[in-house]
């Protein structure tokens, strides 16, 4: 059997390696238009920032190492320019020799990936404007920085690459602004958690320009970038405005594409053309939660898809069951992670969902070094199954998100989180792990023991004569800020001040994080009051509504 693979990196290289492990006699040829067959594309911003110091560390495999280990014929600088599904052949241009030749196949795997979106903006062809997709892009940016010593940079786009580039350029000492078209950065997050990230980046010296778009670029030795709401002078511009599937080759061969231009495949990674498979950032996937078609270019799914395509080619039934979008992002010292749906996508899918937010320490608070994380979980009201989660914090974010992602994958209800037995020792966690805690809170909501209100309800409640906002924080906490119009009774003095609270009003109770206010709600509910607890507490309200508050408060370790 002869298998041709168009494109390497995550999907193509994984498919080639899996094919060889399954079939020693298979002839495998990989064609790569660029110079590199398998490289650490997720590490490229960190090489630019100097965290990764050696070029060689970016190369996961070379043509020579792939040949030696897997007996795979890797042809770099060979561009596939046409596919003939009827003749089962491809046309290849050797970019070094300048000749064109053909190869036939029994099976063909397409792994062309995605390319950066470069909008048609006047001046975008300037040598001071960059995109970041591969190693040549990386070296171009790195060389420009080393040779020109820029003092400022503008990053267009607030996704993974945009945020990582903003961080790394800032760590190099540049004045950095990041601009996005919408009202928040990092769209996988809901607005409230995005504000945590935005405020933290601002604290680190990165300017955040929202609701802004690039109109024109002028290069006069420096760049003058005209935005929709202002003009910025900068030494370099990074275009990180997203990616689009690179599938012109597939389109010309009559392979079915969706409205985004992604290749349509079935669960076994087969296209509509016999014996042609497609994997990675070029393909349409199914959202694991909703089952709807979507486009999620991530390395983890691409690797899995390459393996699945190889399995099926070798006669092993294997199916791709959908993409959750589980991902994690480093933002200076902060860690941000997400999986499944957010509020926007859940609403678009027509799911009747509930949600909650908590703050929880990364490990036992009496052990030195504990930091707080903000956890948000969404669940389907009908089934109580978890449909999405988001976390922003410092230590321990990754392992909590991995637990929540696993829970979603195996269909857990939000109340099942209360029963999870997770690792505990004071340096690593708490006897009631943050995952357990989010389950306890959700269980109280599902069982009717607690009703919630949210940060965006406050403005309406301030004008509701039948509502009373009740602050149960300490006096020292109140001095740091309050929700206007609140009555203040510290939790420890609540019982002795019950007569101050009118039975005729609904009580909307808050503390710093939502824990003490829950205790207050239970006291008051048992006495016949109609109570609601502020999810995420005053800390989240202030983060979203006011400037300058991050996940942490004044003390970055203990939150005091």
């Amino acid at each position: 059997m002869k298998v041709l693979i168009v494109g390497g990196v995550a999907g193509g290289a994984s498919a080639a390696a899996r094919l060889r492990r399954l079939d020693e006699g298979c002839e495998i040829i990989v064609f790569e238009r660029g110079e590199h067959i398998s490289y650490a594309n997720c590490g490229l911003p960190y090489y630019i920032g100097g965290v990764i110091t050696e070029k060689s560390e970016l190369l996961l495999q070379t043509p020579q190492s792939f040949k030696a280990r897997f007996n795979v014929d890797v042809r770099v600088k060979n561009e596939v320019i046409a596919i003939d599904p009827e003749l089962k052949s491809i046309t290849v241009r050797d970019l070094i020799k300048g000749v064109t030749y053909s190869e036939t196949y029994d099976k063909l795997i397409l792994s062309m990936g995605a390319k950066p979106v470069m909008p048609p903006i006047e001046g975008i062809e300037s040598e001071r404007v960059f995109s970041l997709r591969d190693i040549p892009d990386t070296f171009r940016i790195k060389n420009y920085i080393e040779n020109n010593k820029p003092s400022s940079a503008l990053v267009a786009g607030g996704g993974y690459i945009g945020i990582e580039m903003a961080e790394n350029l800032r760590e190099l000492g540049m004045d950095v602004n990041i601009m996005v078209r919408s009202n928040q950065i990092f769209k996988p997050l809901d607005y409230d958690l995005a504000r945590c990230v935005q405020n933290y980046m601002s604290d680190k010296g990165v300017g955040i320009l929202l609701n802004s778009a690039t109109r024109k670029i002028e290069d006069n030795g420096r760049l003058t970038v005209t935005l929709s709401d202002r003009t910025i002078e900068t030494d370099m511009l990074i275009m990180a405005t997203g990616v689009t599937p690179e599938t012109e080759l597939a389109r010309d061969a009559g392979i079915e594409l969706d409205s985004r231009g992604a290749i349509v495949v079935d669960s076994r990674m087969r296209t509509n053309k016999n014996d042609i498979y497609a994997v990675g950032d070029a393909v349409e996937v199914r959202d694991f939660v909703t089952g709807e078609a979507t486009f999620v270019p991530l390395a983890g799914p691409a690797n899995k898809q390459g393996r699945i395509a190889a399995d099926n080619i070798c006669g092993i039934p294997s199916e791709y069951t959908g993409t959750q979008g589980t991902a994690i992002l480093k933002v200076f010292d902060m860690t941000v992670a997400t999986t499944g749906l957010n509020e926007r996508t859940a609403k678009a899918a027509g799911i009747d969902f509930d949600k909650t937010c908590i703050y929880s320490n990364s490990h036992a608070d009496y052990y030195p070094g504990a930091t707080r994380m903000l956890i948000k979980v969404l669940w389907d009201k009908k089934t109580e199954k978890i449909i999405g989660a988001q976390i922003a914090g410092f230590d321990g974010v990754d392992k909590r998100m991995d637990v929540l992602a696993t829970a979603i994958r195996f269909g857990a209800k939000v109340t099942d989180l209360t029963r999870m037995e997770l690792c505990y020792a004071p340096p690593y966690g708490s006897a009631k792990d943050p995952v357990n805690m989010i389950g306890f809170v959700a269980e109280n909501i599902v069982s009717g023991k607690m009703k919630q209100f949210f940060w965006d309800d406050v403005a309406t409640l301030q004008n509701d004569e039948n509502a009373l906002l009740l602050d149960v924080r300490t006096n020292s906490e109140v001095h740091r800020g309050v929700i206007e119009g609140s009555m203040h009774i510290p939790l420890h003095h609540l019982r002795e001040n019950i007569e101050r609270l009118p039975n005729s009003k609904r009580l909307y109770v808050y503390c710093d994080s939502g824990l003490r206010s829950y205790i207050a709600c239970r006291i008051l509910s048992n006495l016949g009051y109609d109570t609601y607890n502020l999810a995420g507490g005053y800390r989240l309200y202030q983060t979203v509504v006011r400037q300058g508050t991050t996940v942490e408060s004044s003390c970055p370790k203990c939150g005091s």
Side-chain angles (χ1 to χ4, degrees), residues 359-468:
Y359 282 93
S360 191
N361 281 343
S362 56
H363 60 246
D365 55 1
Y366 59 82
Y367 187 89
T371 58
R372 287 189 183 238
M373 63 182 78
L374 173 60
I375 307 176
K376 182 175 187 177
V377 168
L378 283 63
W379 65 91
D380 186 319
K381 285 184 180 180
K382 182 179 179 181
T383 64
E384 297 179 11
K385 288 185 177 181
I386 308 167
I387 60 172
Q390 303 159 47
I391 308 178
F394 295 85
D395 296 331
V397 169
D398 52 345
K399 67 177 182 178
R400 273 63 183 224
M401 183 53 72
D402 283 341
V403 170
L404 292 169
T406 303
I408 292 175
R409 180 60 65 163
F410 291 102
K413 295 181 178 181
V414 69
T415 50
D416 290 334
L417 299 179
T418 64
R419 295 189 288 276
M420 286 191 168
E421 186 175 335
L422 304 172
C423 290
Y424 163 58
Y428 302 106
S430 302
K432 295 178 181 178
D433 190 86
V435 172
N436 298 135
M437 290 302 299
I438 198 81
F440 293 141
V441 173
E443 185 178 61
N444 286 332
I445 296 165
V446 170
S447 66
K449 294 183 180 68
M450 182 178 75
K451 293 182 287 187
Q452 299 181 104
F453 70 111
F454 301 93
W455 65 267
D456 51 347
D457 296 321
V458 170
T460 300
L461 295 173
Q462 288 170 323
N463 297 308
D464 186 345
E465 61 182 19
N466 295 314
L468 174 65

Side-chain angles (χ1 to χ4, degrees), residues 124-143:
I124 200 169
E125 69 282 352
S126 166
E127 64 180 13
R128 293 175 175 83
V129 178
F130 305 88
S131 63
L132 180 60
R133 179 195 183 188
D134 51 25
I135 286 183
D137 291 340
T138 305
F139 293 165
R140 179 171 170 247
I141 296 171
K142 183 81 167 178
N143 292 338

Side-chain angles (χ1 to χ4, degrees), residues 42-59:
C42 294
L44 301 182
Y46 301 101
Y47 175 74
I48 293 169
V51 179
I52 298 171
T53 57
E54 299 296 329
K55 293 180 180 179
S56 60
E57 293 176 351
L58 298 174
L59 300 176

Side-chain angles (χ1 to χ4, degrees), residues 284-358:
E284 174 190 86
V285 296
R286 295 288 164 182
D287 185 285
F288 177 76
V289 177
T290 68
E292 297 297 320
T294 187
F295 176 63
V296 185
L298 292 172
N303 275 281
K304 294 178 181 67
Q305 292 159 11
R307 179 186 178 93
I308 288 167
D311 283 352
N312 285 290
I313 286 172
C314 292
I316 301 172
S318 183
E319 293 188 281
Y320 187 68
T321 56
T323 298
Q324 284 175 234
T326 305
I328 194 164
L329 177 66
K330 177 182 179 294
V331 188
F332 296 96
D333 296 325
M334 180 184 278
T335 302
V336 184
T338 181
T339 189
L341 306 181
N342 56 30
E343 290 193 52
R344 184 186 67 259
T345 53
K347 289 174 183 175
I351 298 174
D352 184 17
F353 66 92
D354 210 339
K355 62 182 178 179
T356 197
C357 298
I358 67 165

Side-chain angles (χ1 to χ4, degrees), residues 145 149-153 168-176 205 236:
I145 292 171
K149 305 296 188 294
S151 62
S152 62
N168 279 279
L169 295 176
R170 180 64 185 155
E171 294 283 35
L172 289 174
M174 296 187 205
D175 293 328
V176 179
M236 61 186 301

Side-chain angles (χ1 to χ4, degrees), residues 171-186:
E171 294 283 35
L172 289 174
M174 296 187 205
D175 293 328
V176 179
N177 287 293
I178 187 169
M179 53 155 287
V180 294
R181 289 176 173 270
S182 65
N183 66 343
Q184 69 168 79
I185 61 173
F186 201 54

